[in-house]
Amino acid sequence: MNGSDEHSGTATAKDVPEVLAEVVLDGRLREVTIASQAIGGPISFQLLTPPDFSPTAARRWPVLLLLHGAEDGPSQWTRKAGMLERCAGLDALVVLPQAGPVGYYTNWERPAADGTTPRWEDFHLDELPTVLESRYRASSRRVVAGVSMGGYGAIAYAARRPGMFAAAASYSGMLHTLHRGMPSFVALLMLRGHEHPHALWGSPRRNRRRWQASDPHHLAERLRGTALYISRADGRPHPDDDVPRVAGLLELFFATSTESLVRRLHDLGIPATVSRGDGVHEWPTWLRELDRSWPFLLAGLGCA
């Protein structure tokens, strides 16, 4: 399958969420707002189109889905990662979706503070693909990558939907959510975002099966056949980086969950490219990993 393949899905016009607005932000970068049943109202995503894009083209393009971290948003990929320049000649659609400050790429167990019960997985993996395929000539070849919370999302999505993504990359993701200390961290993160501590998957004790169903470590067998790039840093700031000290401690904390998944994959005989560079839980480190993994992402897209 390559970028010019026709999509073989069966989505009908009835299934496609309504596009409410489309605004050009910068050249080939646009912001698209759709009416989402999964989120319970309007939600937007940013879309960077390839140089020769046309909505009436005979061909279709592969999709690179980039997932943002907690307490951030899609624009971090353009502001901090320079994706406009990096993708200037990329023959693919680059999609930067909203995921909420602490949405954690999942269908929530409990209502959020605003009264809705967001279904982020349904938005990202059901609604968004149908819009891309029906309106923007997306093919069924997809690659997903993310930083921090988005790194979890990339691997969790690949595991929860086997075969949906040709490749998945995590930069400093929490990849074993039931690993020691991780449930408490999730609860604190939710409280910091003014949400119920168990809004995502319920109690890690009483709703353990629900946690396991969203935990990359417990879903590891389902990653077989997906090309994987998994990175974590050593918690030591690079000499050229101006980063807070706490970012090093946070990276070491997350690294334990990453290594837990890496060991699980090794035990199952599932190949993965593992990168253990220097750095902390901040963008300077993730940019170095993005550079290292860029050929991997291009190969997944069929653009190498």
Side-chain angles (χ1 to χ4, degrees), residues 2-268:
N2 57 43
S4 62
D5 288 334
E6 290 292 319
H7 175 68
S8 58
T10 58
T12 66
K14 182 180 178 180
D15 301 320
V16 181
E18 179 186 1
V19 174
L20 302 175
E22 182 177 311
V23 179
V24 175
L25 300 178
D26 186 350
R28 295 184 288 113
L29 181 67
R30 63 191 75 187
E31 183 171 77
V32 182
T33 303
I34 68 171
S36 170
Q37 292 186 10
I39 302 303
I43 188 76
S44 66
F45 63 93
Q46 293 183 11
L47 175 66
L48 181 61
T49 56
D52 62 344
F53 172 77
S54 169
T56 60
R59 63 163 297 185
R60 290 183 178 268
W61 285 270
V63 174
L64 174 60
L65 182 64
L66 297 177
L67 308 180
H68 67 76
E71 301 176 346
D72 214 325
S75 63
Q76 70 171 302
W77 288 101
T78 52
R79 290 185 293 105
K80 300 176 182 178
M83 294 307 296
L84 293 179
E85 296 77 17
R86 184 181 292 270
C87 300
L90 183 63
D91 195 29
L93 295 164
V94 182
V95 183
L96 317 173
Q98 295 276 356
V102 289
Y104 249 93
Y105 300 94
T106 196
N107 293 342
W108 284 28
E109 179 75 8
R110 296 170 178 262
D114 64 4
T116 67
T117 304
R119 305 195 317 272
W120 290 107
E121 179 181 334
D122 291 351
F123 165 56
H124 293 134
L125 303 188
D126 294 320
E127 293 181 334
L128 191 54
T130 63
V131 172
L132 294 171
E133 291 157 9
S134 66
R135 190 177 178 102
Y136 299 104
R137 305 299 295 166
S139 78
S140 58
R141 189 177 189 106
R142 309 177 188 93
V143 170
V144 61
V147 300
S148 190
M149 180 180 81
Y152 159 81
I155 304 301
Y157 278 175
R160 289 180 62 84
R161 304 288 182 101
M164 185 171 188
F165 297 98
S170 167
Y171 312 112
S172 302
M174 182 193 299
L175 304 184
H176 186 179
T177 56
L178 281 167
H179 192 65
R180 184 173 60 185
M182 300 302 156
S184 295
F185 177 86
V186 171
L188 288 172
L189 185 68
M190 300 304 291
L191 288 171
R192 176 169 164 155
H194 307 290
E195 301 290 355
H196 191 283
H198 296 158
L200 298 180
W201 306 300
S203 164
R205 286 182 294 179
R206 293 190 299 272
N207 304 97
R208 191 170 184 83
R209 289 186 179 179
R210 178 85 161 88
W211 276 71
Q212 290 176 338
S214 297
D215 185 350
H217 182 273
H218 285 84
L219 301 177
E221 177 60 47
R222 295 162 65 93
L223 291 166
R224 193 180 301 277
T226 301
L228 301 171
Y229 186 97
I230 298 174
S231 72
R232 61 90 161 171
D234 59 10
R236 293 180 293 184
H238 191 275
D240 298 329
D241 296 346
D242 181 15
V243 293
R245 181 175 180 273
V246 68
L249 299 176
L250 185 59
E251 184 64 20
L252 287 176
F253 179 67
F254 272 30
T256 62
S257 72
T258 294
E259 290 295 341
S260 181
L261 176 63
V262 168
R263 290 191 296 272
R264 178 66 177 150
L265 293 172
H266 179 269
D267 291 344
L268 292 171

